[in-house]
Amino acid sequence: MANFSANYGNKITKMRFYSPYERWLTRRALLQALALLGVSTALPLGLGACSPARQLSRAREPEGLRSLLNTRQYFGVAVDARHLADTPYAAAIAKHANILVPENDLKWRVIQPQAGAFNFSAYQKLAAFAQENNQSMRGHTLVWHTGLPKWAEKILLHGGKAEVRSMLHAHLQETLQQTATLVHDWDVVNEAVSPHSRRKDFLRANSPWFKALGPDYITEAFSAVHSLNPTLTLTYNDYSMEYADAAGIRRRSGVLQLLQRLKQQGVPIHQLGLQSHLQCHRPLAGKAFTDFLRTVQQLGIKIIVTELDLNLAKLSGTDSERLNLGAHYAATYLKMIAEVQLLDTIICWGLSTPYSFMTKKDRSTLHPLPLDNNLAPLPLWHAVRSTFIESV
Ligand code: XIL
């Protein structure tokens, strides 16, 4: 609970505001159990009958999330340079985030659309914005099965290993050099594991990188990045490790096997990025998830949240109820991570609803990020805020 000053006409009034997250606390044990058990979220929980976040937005401007962070905490947002043309949105990013991630502007297709013809202009716009606003940056992403230009895909699928290695090396060299000033942490390999894989190690065998170089492409990528710049923090980034279902079990198994193998081989790897595109109708894995995180941590690998957003498409209830349930789901999830290790980095995949990558695909349903269409805080904003406040 916090004290806020609200300006009603000429009168400055002090009021006590119960954040949506605080309202959930009383129901927390019940809801946590429900989330963990995956009990239908259509239960008449009576949450958020009137949307407190919307009332709040009318009453006052939200404080900047970054102003609540200590010097080792990072709240980040994924953004494309072209999003900055939306001035109020850019101002909200400057106000809330102390770290930026190029949502697309450092992907192969953007920075090397033609072989050898590099283009970092979009990234440079983001970097200038970050510098102006005293923000740091993360790099995303160097080796991914998608986001590739046609010419690179062609080499991966039809070129020889030597040609592939030389293409990879040239891309890494140029990219790391161009971004060296601001980017000290890279998603080196993204989404290498798939629960649909027929392999025991669950590696995504239909990735063009796997097809070109076999399973060792991951080792090669991490080692190459490290030898080009040994000061970088190197991250393996993947999604859907948090669910109780069979796909979640397979994904955790695949990621763990991969991380264990990399560590055994002495490959430099420092972080696991949990993307956290939370599908709030899927039961969370509970202990199986925290056990997984603990094993990762015991390997000496730090855990960060890299792409948080909520998918409420399969929840029922009013918008307000779904927003609250989604935020509660996120708070439960973030708390599980924070129980295992200090959670100092949470990055959302966009800051406000219209910029959700899921909204682009499907406008018919709610895809919340921390802020709504009017840049007012949604319950997810409060869940992230509370997680930071509690994890110090
Ligand atoms: C997405 C972007 O948000 C979209 O704009 C783009 O069209 C496709 O890629 N996991 C990732 C991100 O690691 O790179 C993806 O970003 C979202 C899922």
Side-chain angles (χ1 to χ4, degrees), residues 60-183:
R60 64 180 184 90
E61 272 279 293
E63 60 205 325
L65 203 42
R66 68 186 287 185
S67 68
L68 304 165
L69 306 180
N70 68 36
T71 50
R72 292 173 310 281
Q73 289 179 316
Y74 293 95
F75 172 70
V77 171
V79 56
D80 283 342
R82 63 191 173 81
H83 299 162
L84 300 176
D86 177 344
T87 324
Y89 186 61
I93 290 172
K95 178 175 165 177
H96 290 284
N98 60 1
I99 183 164
L100 297 187
V101 180
E103 182 173 343
N104 291 292
D105 292 339
L106 282 177
K107 290 176 181 167
W108 275 70
R109 210 179 273 165
V110 176
I111 57 180
Q112 204 183 168
Q114 302 299 331
F118 286 92
N119 181 353
F120 286 89
S121 57
Y123 162 75
Q124 279 150 5
K125 281 185 201 145
L126 281 179
F129 180 87
Q131 274 174 317
E132 256 167 53
N133 294 294
N134 198 21
Q135 294 160 317
S136 51
M137 291 185 88
R138 292 195 75 237
H140 177 82
T141 177
L142 296 169
V143 174
W144 191 27
H145 61 279
T146 181
L148 293 160
K150 285 270 169 292
W151 68 266
E153 238 166 38
K154 205 167 149 196
I155 292 178
L156 284 166
L157 297 179
H158 307 293
K161 286 192 178 184
E163 197 185 356
V164 168
R165 288 194 175 109
S166 125
M167 171 183 86
L168 174 61
H169 199 267
H171 185 85
L172 295 179
Q173 194 167 31
E174 185 69 18
T175 308
L176 297 184
Q177 199 185 320
Q178 292 278 344
T179 56
T181 323
L182 280 184
V183 180

Side-chain angles (χ1 to χ4, degrees), residues 103-104 107 140 144 190-191 237 275 277 307 349 357 360:
E103 182 173 343
N104 291 292
K107 290 176 181 167
H140 177 82
W144 191 27
N190 198 31
E191 303 178 353
N237 195 47
Q275 290 188 5
H277 296 289
E307 307 189 10
W349 210 240
F357 86 111
K360 276 185 261 168

Side-chain angles (χ1 to χ4, degrees), residues 346-362:
I346 301 176
I347 293 161
C348 288
W349 210 240
L351 187 58
S352 79
T353 316
Y355 290 94
S356 161
F357 86 111
M358 291 186 289
T359 308
K360 276 185 261 168
K361 286 193 216 158
D362 175 10

Side-chain angles (χ1 to χ4, degrees), residues 318-365:
T318 64
D319 282 1
S320 177
E321 283 166 350
R322 291 158 74 213
L323 287 168
N324 278 311
L325 284 166
H328 177 77
Y329 185 101
T332 306
Y333 166 75
L334 294 171
K335 196 170 186 311
M336 282 197 265
I337 306 168
E339 264 166 26
V340 173
Q341 58 133 71
L342 193 70
L343 178 56
D344 61 17
T345 303
I346 301 176
I347 293 161
C348 288
W349 210 240
L351 187 58
S352 79
T353 316
Y355 290 94
S356 161
F357 86 111
M358 291 186 289
T359 308
K360 276 185 261 168
K361 286 193 216 158
D362 175 10
R363 291 192 171 275
S364 65
T365 186

